[in-house]
Amino acid sequence: VTEVAVAADFVPAGERDAAASELFAAHYPRLAGWCRGLVDDDDTAHEIAAEAFTRLLARWSGVEDPRGYLYVVAANLVRDHWRRRQRERRAFARVGVRADVGVVAAADPALRVLVEALPDRMRLPVLLHYYADLPISRIADLLGRPEGTVKSDLHDARARLMAALEGQR
Amino acid sequence: VTVDPDDELRRLLRDRLAPLDPPPGTFERISRRARRRRTARTTLAVTTTGVVVVGVAVAGLVVGRQLSTAPSGRPTALHPLAGSSGPAPHRYLGWRAIVRTASARPSPTPPSAPPTPAGGPVPQQLSLVNLTWVSSGLGWALGTTPCTNPSCTSIVRTSDGGRSWVGIPAPHARLGTPGLPGCTGSEPCVSQLRFADPLDGYAFGPSLYSTDNGGATWVRRQPGGSVHALEPGAGTVIAVVGGTAATCRPGCQVLAGGVDPTGWRPAGLTVHATSVQLARAGADDAGLLAVDPTGSSPTVFLSRDAGHHWSPLADPCRSGGRATTLTLGTDGSFVVLCQAGRSRWVVSAPPGSRHFGTAHLLPGLAPMCLVSPRAGLLVAAGRARVLASTDGGRRWTDVLLPPAAGTQQGSPTVPFVGFETGRVGRMIAAGRFVYSTSDGGRHWYLVHRFG
């Protein structure tokens, strides 16, 4: 962390700003839209996308794969958001109030709930492979897992999701 | 036609995602946040690196000393009294690892940086009266040497904890006792020395000289009167200025500010006293004792903001006694020595409290110096003995019989005792001997003998 942070400051400020601006224009709308498909409202989607970009720009030259980094960070933030929402739902349930009162439903809540319900090891590969369209080899690099493990997790996740979707039809 | 479940899932999940344009100003907000985090991370990285470098340097210093001093470099204690255990090498080496001083902010220069000025030989027959330290290794001593020129004031500096010393320039002022002949205020005269950091120092009482280059040059200052007390700490300085050369009559002002004397400003407290004592602990705590046998005004004042605001303290002595010495422990505790006739007793307040506990008599000792390194620990130096207490003054034990040989007539045998931390302290005895302790004053070891 120390080396990355220090190295980032040796990139000329002008060059860094221009590249950051270009990256933002190219990837923000799609990243925010990706987040919007996973969370309940536009504000939360923007908040997560902005935080992912902030973390990327804060350690700019230390990141080899900016796009992959953005999606991994955003996926982790989405997971944190889901956990927060679960805690809130449980708290509301204890006092007899529905948790989603006043919240705009996501684009495809049924599908999202299924993804949300996947075990941790399957959920992130699904988010990155199917939602963010990253190839398996890059996902394996980003998550630090063997490619075979990622393929296996995706296979298991796909089976679960398809079975659930079949059941809903 | 077979349906590829992978494609179907991909279509179901990905195709529903529509781009979401950023609200206006999003990129600028993100850039600002990222810049702040980069700065914070870089600061943390630099700080961490600095700490590691200093740690390695200190560890190297300790190991180096250990190798270079063992076994012949083992220090010796002069005149230890029966009952006090002899020095142990590991104890002696231990105090070098302490890098913090309570009376000054930590050194901004790394330990390996050579102090300025370079320094020359130590004057012959140097007699010391005062010590000041800004780290465990870097310290200065104020003294005088026999000479034909009336201004025989000398300053010596150590950068290895007192084992070796070099002479550096001193102010062109006489070294004397304020109020006595030769030091009445009509001629330049100093009696004490303090350094706030490796560069900024002060020779004062009653005149004031300051240096901002480690003592290479000294400049006479006119702060508005005689300087009776001055204590630096954590980049700030508190000074008591006014009155005559010897007393704070008709009155002295308390000044506070940074290390530059031109920036000292009145703190709104004026004291009337025959003498004043100033004590500091940490960055903000300070105590001021105004000794006035005839006055009825409060004699002890406390400040919690580096001397900018003061509040009087209820008389801690009661029973007809008057406060004669105030000392603050490095943990914020404070102790007052009271006197009534020939009786002397100490009262203590724990850290953070303004309420004094039970009074304890000081047996048969007229202390020249009383210091409390931390709550419960006391060291009292008299004309011929040094005592220590570990229970707030209930019981006292002789810890050192200081050598008296060479002490000038009328001069205290132990003119200086001070603590930089709750454990590490220094003492001057007979003007030539520098002692150190690393256990709060229970054991003292000779570090250097001048002449």
Side-chain angles (χ1 to χ4, degrees), chain B residues 47-121:
Chain B
T47 307
T48 306
T49 307
V51 168
V52 169
V53 168
V54 169
V56 168
V58 170
L61 198 64
V62 171
V63 172
R65 295 285 173 218
Q66 214 155 7
L67 292 173
S68 66
T69 55
S72 58
R74 182 182 181 210
T76 54
L78 277 192
H79 313 291
L81 293 180
S84 64
S85 60
H90 73 276
R91 263 202 208 107
Y92 175 75
L93 292 165
W95 64 262
R96 293 175 186 282
I98 306 294
V99 293
R100 179 76 175 91
T101 169
S103 62
R105 68 189 175 202
S107 164
T109 56
S112 56
T116 58

Side-chain angles (χ1 to χ4, degrees), chain A residues 7-169:
Chain A
D9 280 351
F10 290 124
V11 177
E15 185 184 322
R16 191 171 57 212
D17 290 347
S21 176
E22 196 176 315
L23 188 82
F24 180 83
H27 291 286
Y28 184 93
R30 185 165 169 74
L31 179 68
W34 182 79
C35 294
R36 180 64 185 88
L38 301 170
V39 298
D40 301 314
D41 58 294
D42 287 3
D43 287 347
T44 306
H46 282 305
E47 195 180 304
I48 290 173
E51 176 60 23
F53 262 96
T54 303
R55 291 187 190 184
L56 173 68
L57 300 189
R59 53 184 59 199
W60 182 235
S61 64
V63 178
E64 289 180 3
D65 178 4
R67 182 165 177 269
Y69 179 88
L70 280 174
Y71 279 91
V72 169
V73 169
N76 285 324
L77 292 171
V78 166
R79 182 199 57 200
D80 294 344
H81 171 76
W82 285 345
R83 286 177 178 165
R84 265 199 312 277
R85 294 285 299 151
Q86 272 180 354
R87 282 198 299 271
E88 285 170 10
R89 272 198 291 268
R90 281 197 294 270
F92 278 118
R94 278 200 295 273
V95 294
V97 179
R98 280 172 56 87
D100 55 354
V101 173
V103 174
V104 179
D108 191 347
L111 192 56
R112 202 202 73 192
V113 167
L114 292 178
V115 174
E116 193 176 338
L118 287 172
D120 268 352
R121 70 177 176 84
M122 297 179 194
R123 190 190 306 122
L124 207 50
V126 166
L127 291 177
L128 296 174
H129 185 60
Y130 291 114
Y131 280 77
D133 206 19
L134 292 183
I136 290 174
S137 58
R138 283 176 73 188
I139 296 172
D141 281 347
L142 289 167
L143 300 183
R145 299 177 194 171
E147 258 190 64
T149 305
V150 174
K151 279 181 187 170
S152 168
D153 290 340
L154 279 172
H155 179 269
D156 294 348
R158 194 159 52 233
R160 284 193 186 212
L161 289 172
M162 291 309 293
L165 288 171
E166 284 297 326
Q168 286 183 359
R169 286 173 186 168

Side-chain angles (χ1 to χ4, degrees), chain B residues 175-414:
Chain B
L175 182 68
T177 303
L180 294 184
C183 201
T184 57
S186 57
E187 61 286 288
C189 178
V190 295
S191 57
Q192 297 189 62
L193 181 69
R194 295 286 185 274
F195 268 79
D197 54 55
L199 296 177
D200 296 291
Y202 316 89
F204 65 96
S207 307
L208 174 65
Y209 289 79
S210 72
T211 177
D212 60 3
N213 51 22
T217 57
W218 293 86
V219 177
R220 185 161 188 193
R221 303 288 184 175
Q222 305 288 350
S226 300
V227 178
H228 296 268
L230 183 153
E231 288 296 341
T236 64
V237 174
I238 305 173
V240 182
V241 176
T244 64
T247 71
C248 268
R249 285 186 173 141
C252 291
Q253 278 195 318
V254 178
L255 308 180
V259 294
D260 181 0
T262 60
W264 298 349
R265 299 286 178 267
L269 174 64
T270 301
V271 291
H272 307 268
T274 53
S275 68
V276 293
Q277 290 173 25
L278 200 50
R280 295 192 68 170
D284 297 322
D285 289 347
L288 174 66
L289 171 65
V291 180
D292 185 3
T294 60
S296 58
S297 57
T299 56
V300 179
F301 300 86
L302 287 181
S303 170
R304 301 290 189 196
D305 60 357
H308 292 285
H309 298 89
W310 296 84
S311 56
L313 201 63
D315 181 11
C317 293
R318 302 182 291 266
S319 308
R322 62 184 172 85
T324 60
T325 301
L326 169 73
T327 172
L328 264 69
T330 51
D331 55 2
S333 60
F334 54 99
V335 177
V336 173
L337 174 65
C338 305
Q339 182 173 0
R342 294 175 67 93
S343 297
R344 296 179 181 85
W345 64 94
V346 293
V347 287
S348 310
S353 170
R354 297 165 67 104
H355 301 288
F356 290 91
T358 310
H360 299 294
L361 282 173
L362 202 59
L365 180 77
M368 301 292 184
C369 295
L370 175 74
V371 290
S372 172
R374 63 177 188 267
L377 284 181
L378 289 166
V379 175
R383 184 166 297 281
R385 53 200 288 219
V386 179
L387 288 82
S389 170
T390 58
D391 55 8
R394 193 172 289 112
R395 291 182 299 273
W396 293 86
T397 309
D398 280 297
V399 291
L400 186 71
L401 180 65
T407 304
Q408 293 177 355
Q409 189 70 25
S411 299
T413 307
V414 179

